[in-house]
Amino acid sequence: MTHVSDSRPSPVAAKIALTASAIAAAGLLLFPLATLGRDFNAGGVLLHLTGSVLNLSTQRELPLPPTGAVLALGWVTLALLVASVIGALRRARWFWLTGLLALLTAALAVLLLASGLSAETARVVADTTLRPGFKRQLRNFYAGGGMNLGLFLPILAGLITAAAGLSARPVWWERLNRLRGLLVPVVAISLAVLVGAVVVLIVQPAVNGSGAPLSLWGGWLAKSDLVYFVYSTLFAPITALNPFLDSLKLATPLIFTGLSVAFAFRTGLFNVGAAGQLTMGAIAAMLVGVYGPPALGWLLLPLSLIAAGLGGALWGAIPGVLKARFGSSEVINTIMLNYVASSVFLFMIGNDTFPFLGREYHLPFKAPGNAPQSEELQQAARLPTLLDLFNVGQGGATALTIAPLVALAAFFILRFALRRVRRSSLIALAAAVVLGALTWRIGIPIPGVSSQLNASFLVALVCVWVFGVLMWRTATGYALRAVGLSPRAAQYGGISVARNTVLAMTLAGMFAGLAGTHYVNGGALDAYRLQGNIPVNVGFDGIAVALMGQSTPVGVVAASVLFGTIDTGGLEADQQLDKVNKDIVTILKALIVLFIAAGGFLSRRVTDPPPPQLVAAADRTGTAETGHLSPAGAAEERATPVPNVGRSSEVNAQVEIHREREESK
């Protein structure tokens, strides 16, 4: 949608608000409002807006939390959504307010429901007459309750409606317009969720632990609850510390490989070799960690990390040189090198001997036994877990230091406060380091926390910082981006395309190679060694992460955490449902990539519209109608190379050659 001078919300904004509010209002009437409890088999006690309760669990005659206030707020939310629909139809200036109030009333209903469930849980815990096993069962039953689609949709719709209404104000329009880059991934995820919901409805029968036959209405509520349960389970790890740390553990290698693919995208290249680069990085880390001189002491760990980066960089530089010297496709070369890396990997730890010219030679890399694995790394070459690194508790207690949070807060606050001072970043960094050191021994007690998330996660965050600074704060990054946007224009400007192509693939390989430290030095596979079951497929998942993250460092981190979260939640859904298992996660990932590749089926005039000033200049009246492109102009606009979408450099070059030929005619 394009902002115009009219003080009312634009027609597009009104349509968006109308659609969101209407769907949420219908959802309040058609879907369960909340879940009052849920057993281990996913059977829930469903509350509808009318006040009726449908018990699909195996737990019968249990006290339920009070729902009067929740129902009253539900009806108020419905009235506000209807008012938002009317306001959107009239393009009224006030419908942002009714949308915001609908969000707040729905959120308040969720908080009241959570308070009631917490009270029931506390009552169960305080009851000394209950058996421990039954007490745990009841506690989990109430803990499984919460909002359902009936309250979730108004919260989402209220946010969308408020944003759409406020877009009529120039200040808010500028703020919202900065988020336009999120349109494609958000729409892609939404479409993937909708298609995934259809898959769930088809493959999984309704859960009914009561055994009683369901009416047509009851079956509909049970099916809709099933969809909400699956997705709430997939995203549940973000609500608890231990599952969230497990999600970060799965996300760590995705950050490395996502950065690798995204870095290549930014330079107009397509790196499909992150799997092989990860493998070579893991091999190099193992060689230094196992066979490095013990006399090196603490230096063994940084040397092992450097070796992992160099191993991946070497495997990335090879297709870069072939591309720069002979013009061969980096896509084909990186794919082929994946197989070479896999063969080297199997050769080293698959067997301890190999035949050559009639003689048999011994290999020292494989550990004794049948398992394909190396010897364990020396103690000095191992990465600590984050709990060991940040635990300042005494006497076996777990207390995480607040120093990282204090340092981060101090850095950003001081950087903002001193933004007009020269070298404000260095001053803020120095102050953050000092404050972090002073608060290191201050910890927050966290009982019951347990995680094997290792310090390679911190290495990944450092790589995110390096990516951002190198690409957007240095002359080298400018040259790399220029080559990605237009190799011929960059060469005309004095930038060496060949040198930057090799550099881009080398750095991309380095990021992927460092992912090997997560498994080898970090012991992510429960052993500090190179093992045959190392999941190199995360190299291909990095393509999906880079696409979803729009080839930005922050986007890559967010996409990696999202994938790690649903991977962790998929294990929980697999345990509680018969037909829906962790394969639903694979389906969602595939659908997200598919819809992102399709641009979310959004017009480019929506995702990247011309500036309002250009539209106004195209028509002296300042209206946008005559600023529309002709069919020929639209075709040329669509053919314009867009960086970071994954178009290969060969296609870019062909387009430029074609244009030069047309101009020469």
Side-chain angles (χ1 to χ4, degrees):
M1 56 185 175
T2 304
H3 178 66
V4 295
S5 58
D6 189 356
S7 61
R8 296 190 302 166
S10 68
V12 176
K15 289 178 182 178
I16 292 174
L18 173 64
T19 303
S21 297
I23 291 175
L28 273 169
L29 298 173
L30 295 176
F31 300 133
L33 189 71
T35 308
L36 303 181
R38 195 180 295 277
D39 61 22
F40 182 76
N41 296 320
V45 181
L46 308 180
L47 173 69
H48 189 257
L49 185 62
T50 58
S52 61
V53 176
L54 177 63
N55 193 342
L56 301 176
S57 72
T58 55
Q59 302 292 339
R60 320 299 296 177
E61 304 299 331
L62 288 178
L64 299 175
T67 58
V70 175
L71 292 173
L73 288 172
W75 284 107
V76 173
T77 302
L78 179 61
L80 290 170
L81 290 172
V82 172
S84 298
V85 170
I86 296 173
L89 285 171
R90 298 179 177 179
R91 285 180 61 196
R93 299 182 181 90
W94 47 260
F95 72 72
W96 70 269
L97 181 59
T98 55
L100 180 62
L101 290 175
L103 184 156
L104 295 176
T105 54
L108 181 58
V110 173
L111 293 177
L112 289 177
L113 179 65
S115 177
L117 291 170
S118 299
E120 292 296 330
T121 302
R123 181 187 59 80
V124 169
V125 172
D127 192 345
T128 58
T129 63
L130 297 175
R131 290 180 291 104
F134 186 61
K135 179 182 293 189
R136 189 183 314 111
Q137 185 178 1
L138 290 181
R139 187 170 66 247
N140 293 335
F141 174 79
Y142 290 118
M147 68 176 174
N148 210 295
L149 282 173
L151 286 175
F152 173 75
L153 291 177
I155 292 176
L156 183 61
L159 181 63
I160 295 173
T161 302
L166 288 172
S167 66
R169 305 173 183 234
V171 175
W172 280 96
W173 167 254
E174 294 297 330
R175 293 174 180 173
L176 294 172
N177 197 43
R178 295 172 190 160
L179 304 177
R180 190 180 292 274
L182 299 177
L183 279 175
V184 171
V186 168
V187 171
I189 293 173
S190 301
L191 292 174
V193 167
L194 289 176
V195 177
V198 174
V199 173
V200 170
L201 290 174
I202 293 174
V203 302
Q204 176 66 44
V207 178
N208 182 13
S210 66
L214 295 176
S215 62
L216 185 62
W217 175 247
W220 164 255
L221 292 179
K223 277 287 192 177
S224 57
D225 172 65
L226 176 65
V227 172
Y228 181 77
F229 170 75
V230 169
Y231 283 111
S232 62
T233 303
L234 289 179
F235 293 98
I238 63 176
T239 63
L241 182 58
N242 280 338
F244 182 66
L245 293 177
D246 292 339
S247 300
L248 293 182
K249 179 182 175 182
L250 295 177
T252 299
L254 293 176
I255 295 175
F256 285 115
T257 57
L259 290 175
S260 175
V261 178
F263 195 89
F265 277 172
R266 282 285 173 186
T267 58
L269 301 169
F270 198 165
N271 180 25
V272 197
Q277 294 151 14
L278 182 155
T279 301
M280 297 307 294
I283 291 174
M286 179 273 295
L287 291 176
V288 175
V290 173
Y291 303 103
L296 291 175
W298 63 270
L299 287 174
L300 205 57
L301 176 57
L303 289 176
S304 183
L305 298 181
I306 293 172
L310 291 177
L314 171 64
W315 225 242
I318 294 173
V321 171
L322 295 175
K323 172 76 174 181
R325 180 66 180 84
F326 304 104
S328 57
S329 171
E330 76 277 10
V331 176
I332 296 175
N333 290 331
T334 50
I335 291 176
M336 293 299 102
L337 283 173
N338 286 339
Y339 292 101
V340 177
S342 177
S343 299
V344 172
F345 174 72
L346 293 175
F347 174 77
M348 292 182 65
I349 66 171
N351 292 287
D352 52 6
T353 60
F354 74 98
F356 184 70
L357 298 178
R359 298 183 60 182
E360 192 170 84
Y361 295 87
H362 177 73
L363 285 174
F365 307 111
K366 182 180 180 298
N370 296 325
Q373 59 185 16
S374 70
E375 299 283 356
E376 283 198 335
L377 270 67
Q378 301 177 50
Q379 194 70 35
R382 301 178 183 182
L383 285 169
T385 65
L386 290 190
L387 290 183
D388 292 337
L389 190 62
F390 294 118
N391 184 21
V392 293
Q394 302 293 329
T398 301
L400 299 183
T401 178
I402 65 172
L405 298 178
V406 172
L408 283 175
F411 176 79
F412 287 111
I413 292 174
L414 288 175
R415 187 180 179 188
F416 177 78
L418 303 175
R419 61 188 182 278
R420 297 179 181 175
V421 178
R422 189 179 180 184
R423 300 194 178 185
S424 59
S425 296
L426 291 177
I427 297 174
L429 180 61
V433 171
V434 172
L435 289 175
L438 293 176
T439 58
W440 181 263
R441 300 304 304 176
I442 303 175
I444 302 175
I446 305 179
V449 63
S450 175
S451 174
Q452 292 302 311
L453 175 63
N454 59 74
S456 63
F457 177 72
L458 301 180
V459 179
L461 295 183
V462 171
C463 289
V464 170
W465 177 80
V466 170
F467 186 123
V469 172
L470 175 64
M471 190 62 73
W472 285 282
R473 293 290 185 271
T474 64
T476 300
Y478 175 82
L480 289 170
R481 287 185 287 117
V483 170
L485 288 169
S486 178
R488 289 183 178 273
Q491 189 172 17
Y492 181 78
I495 298 174
S496 173
V497 175
R499 182 171 64 248
N500 282 281
T501 297
V502 176
L503 177 61
M505 289 302 298
T506 301
L507 294 177
M510 179 198 71
F511 288 131
L514 286 171
T517 62
H518 176 67
Y519 301 106
V520 177
N521 302 83
L525 300 177
D526 300 325
Y528 294 93
R529 62 174 84 218
L530 182 65
Q531 300 184 76
N533 62 342
I534 184 172
V536 296
N537 61 296
V538 299
F540 297 102
D541 290 341
I543 300 175
V545 168
L547 286 172
M548 184 176 173
Q550 300 291 281
S551 298
T552 62
V554 176
V556 166
V557 174
S560 300
V561 173
L562 173 63
F563 280 12
T565 299
I566 61 177
D567 280 334
T568 305
L571 299 176
E572 184 69 20
D574 191 9
Q575 294 177 358
Q576 296 191 340
L577 295 174
D578 297 330
K579 303 298 182 181
V580 174
N581 51 36
K582 59 184 179 181
D583 291 338
I584 189 67
V585 175
T586 304
I587 294 174
L588 283 177
K589 289 179 180 179
L591 289 172
I592 290 172
V593 174
L594 174 65
F595 292 133
I596 286 181
F601 300 108
L602 296 172
S603 168
R604 190 171 177 187
R605 292 183 66 84
V606 174
T607 59
D608 188 18
Q613 298 85 350
L614 182 60
V615 176
D619 178 27
R620 293 183 179 180
T621 63
T623 60
E625 281 71 14
T626 57
H628 290 297
L629 294 175
S630 64
E636 183 178 358
E637 177 75 8
R638 287 193 296 269
T640 303
V642 181
N644 319 326
V645 178
R647 170 180 277 179
S648 67
S649 53
E650 288 88 351
V651 177
N652 291 341
Q654 291 173 5
V655 171
E656 292 175 6
I657 292 172
H658 176 72
R659 287 180 176 177
E660 290 178 356
R661 289 176 178 174
E662 291 296 326
E663 292 174 358
S664 64
K665 293 179 181 179

